[in-house]
Amino acid sequence: MSVSPTSEQQESVLDITVQMSTKSSLEPVAEAHRALALFYMMETLSLVFALVGLVGNSIVLWLLGFRIQRSPFSVYILNLAASDALFLGNCFVLCMWEVFGDTKAPVLVLWSCIQHMSHSVGLSLLAVISTERCLSGLFPIWYRCHRPKHMSTAVCAALWVLSGLLWGAVAVLRFLRKLYIFHLALQCVHFGWFVLLTCVLCVSSLILVLRIQCRSQCGSQHRRPPRLYLLILLTLVFLIFGLPFGIIHAIRLFSGSVLIPYGLPRLLACVNSSANPFIYFFLGSQWRRRGREPLRVVLQRALEEERVEGVELTDISDPNTLDKLS
């Protein structure tokens, strides 16, 4: 998704329209009005999805933070919901500011960096979750015997700190408007990290899908835990809706090319962050049951620990569980 409009991008919609109008039979003024209408439509849709996503992610944060017992997997989902909520809240503020406020205000630089920071944390968490699920599936006993008890918390804290430091430095350099070479270097580091995490996410998810497919072909009766499907759906939704955020921004940063209308990548990313809570509750729902279930029960079912050889791994540090596995 494109970064929110900064001073170097503020030729804005009308300038983009001038570039496009050379290939169009319409008059530049008419083309400018059409592009402006498209811009406001995408901003309105982004506001709607941001509000819906904020409500959904707030419910997930409340349930995982105060109503459901923590597990290694739920810690990752808790932080993923926090990054989605931060991203959506930031998008809501930026959309309101662009529609009603001064689009050249210096504070937009800070909001832009927060937006990219939350997006980076979300992608990092998805890559970590996918990698852990892949290792857990390929080497279950080895993985559970050697995994530190508080690894999830430590990894999440490290991702927040590192992403905060990176985008904090970018914000400072933008405010100073000096040392452009360092600013460009940091942007290159972020883009390299983005590409690396995307590759890790795709490869590990593909391995996980192939493992599930092999089990199906072998006629295994092992129950597939809902969170395997949860991971696959989260990865698929991100690749479709969340990936353009980093790609389009990098293209505009390094080449200045305009491939898609301004505001569309952010709209797609809002859809991605808003869809995650609905994926959790969809996979945790049991449609055959009559009546409504509490959201806490539905979410807990979606995040339930998988079973290996009939043993429920509710606590990977429990020595009795490891004895049964070995």
Side-chain angles (χ1 to χ4, degrees):
M1 173 184 292
S2 165
V3 68
S4 60
T6 55
S7 57
E8 63 268 17
Q9 295 175 333
Q10 284 302 320
E11 280 77 62
S12 189
V13 180
L14 296 179
D15 285 347
I16 293 174
T17 304
V18 170
Q19 298 178 17
M20 298 174 60
S21 61
T22 58
K23 300 180 181 180
S24 174
S25 59
L26 298 177
E27 293 295 329
V29 175
E31 185 74 11
H33 284 298
R34 190 182 72 170
L36 194 60
L38 179 63
F39 168 75
Y40 281 114
M41 182 185 70
M42 289 187 294
E43 294 291 277
T44 303
L45 289 175
S46 297
L47 285 172
V48 172
F49 279 109
L51 285 175
V52 173
L54 278 173
V55 173
N57 282 286
S58 298
I59 294 174
V60 173
L61 287 172
W62 166 255
L63 294 176
L64 290 180
F66 303 100
R67 304 297 301 277
I68 297 178
Q69 184 177 3
R70 300 287 177 84
S71 68
F73 189 76
S74 68
V75 171
Y76 288 131
I77 298 299
L78 174 65
N79 282 269
L80 181 59
S83 66
D84 285 338
L86 180 61
F87 179 83
L88 292 170
N90 182 272
C91 287
F92 181 83
V93 173
L94 283 175
C95 289
M96 294 294 291
W97 204 302
E98 290 171 8
V99 174
F100 300 107
D102 179 11
T103 57
K104 295 185 178 182
V107 72
L108 289 180
V109 173
L110 179 61
W111 286 111
S112 169
C113 291
I114 295 176
Q115 185 180 66
H116 280 277
M117 182 195 73
S118 56
H119 183 267
S120 178
V121 171
L123 173 60
S124 302
L125 287 170
L126 282 177
V128 170
I129 295 171
S130 182
T131 303
E132 286 212 19
R133 288 295 89 203
C134 183
L135 291 176
S136 177
L138 296 177
F139 314 103
I141 298 178
W142 175 87
Y143 172 78
R144 287 172 175 80
C145 288
H146 291 81
R147 187 186 190 281
K149 182 178 180 180
H150 300 290
M151 179 177 173
S152 299
T153 304
V155 169
C156 292
L159 292 177
W160 281 104
V161 170
L162 291 176
S163 185
L165 290 175
L166 172 64
W167 285 102
V170 171
V172 170
L173 292 176
R174 282 187 180 179
F175 275 118
L176 295 177
R177 297 187 178 183
K178 296 179 180 180
L179 303 175
Y180 176 76
I181 187 64
F182 292 101
H183 174 264
L184 185 61
L186 289 176
Q187 294 281 12
C188 291
V189 169
H190 171 255
F191 180 67
W193 181 246
F194 178 84
V195 172
L196 175 63
L197 290 180
T198 303
C199 293
V200 170
L201 179 62
C202 294
V203 171
S204 55
S205 299
L206 179 61
I207 292 175
L208 190 60
V209 171
L210 293 177
R211 171 179 171 269
I212 295 176
Q213 185 65 25
C214 290
R215 282 194 170 188
S216 300
Q217 293 179 354
C218 293
S220 173
Q221 299 299 319
H222 179 71
R223 183 180 65 86
R224 301 171 191 171
R227 67 184 196 174
L228 290 181
Y229 295 111
L230 172 61
L231 173 59
I232 294 171
L233 279 177
L234 288 176
T235 303
L236 182 62
V237 170
F238 176 83
L239 293 177
I240 295 175
F241 295 101
L243 202 58
F245 182 87
I247 294 178
I248 299 301
H249 171 62
I251 292 175
R252 288 181 176 176
L253 177 66
F254 294 112
S255 67
S257 301
V258 178
L259 299 180
I260 60 178
Y262 176 80
L264 180 59
R266 180 167 60 199
L267 172 60
L268 295 177
C270 286
V271 174
N272 167 62
S273 297
S274 302
N276 290 343
F278 295 96
I279 293 176
Y280 307 150
F281 295 120
F282 173 76
L283 290 179
S285 300
Q286 291 188 351
W287 302 102
R288 295 180 181 179
R289 293 190 177 185
R290 295 182 179 179
R292 296 182 179 180
E293 293 182 302
L295 291 178
R296 178 183 61 83
V297 176
V298 175
L299 182 60
Q300 192 166 12
R301 185 184 298 120
L303 304 180
E304 68 181 356
E305 297 290 344
E306 55 192 285
R307 299 175 183 272
V308 178
E309 298 179 359
V311 179
E312 186 173 2
L313 300 177
T314 55
D315 187 355
I316 61 176
S317 63
D318 186 357
N320 295 327
T321 303
L322 295 177
D323 290 340
K324 293 178 181 180
L325 283 173
S326 57

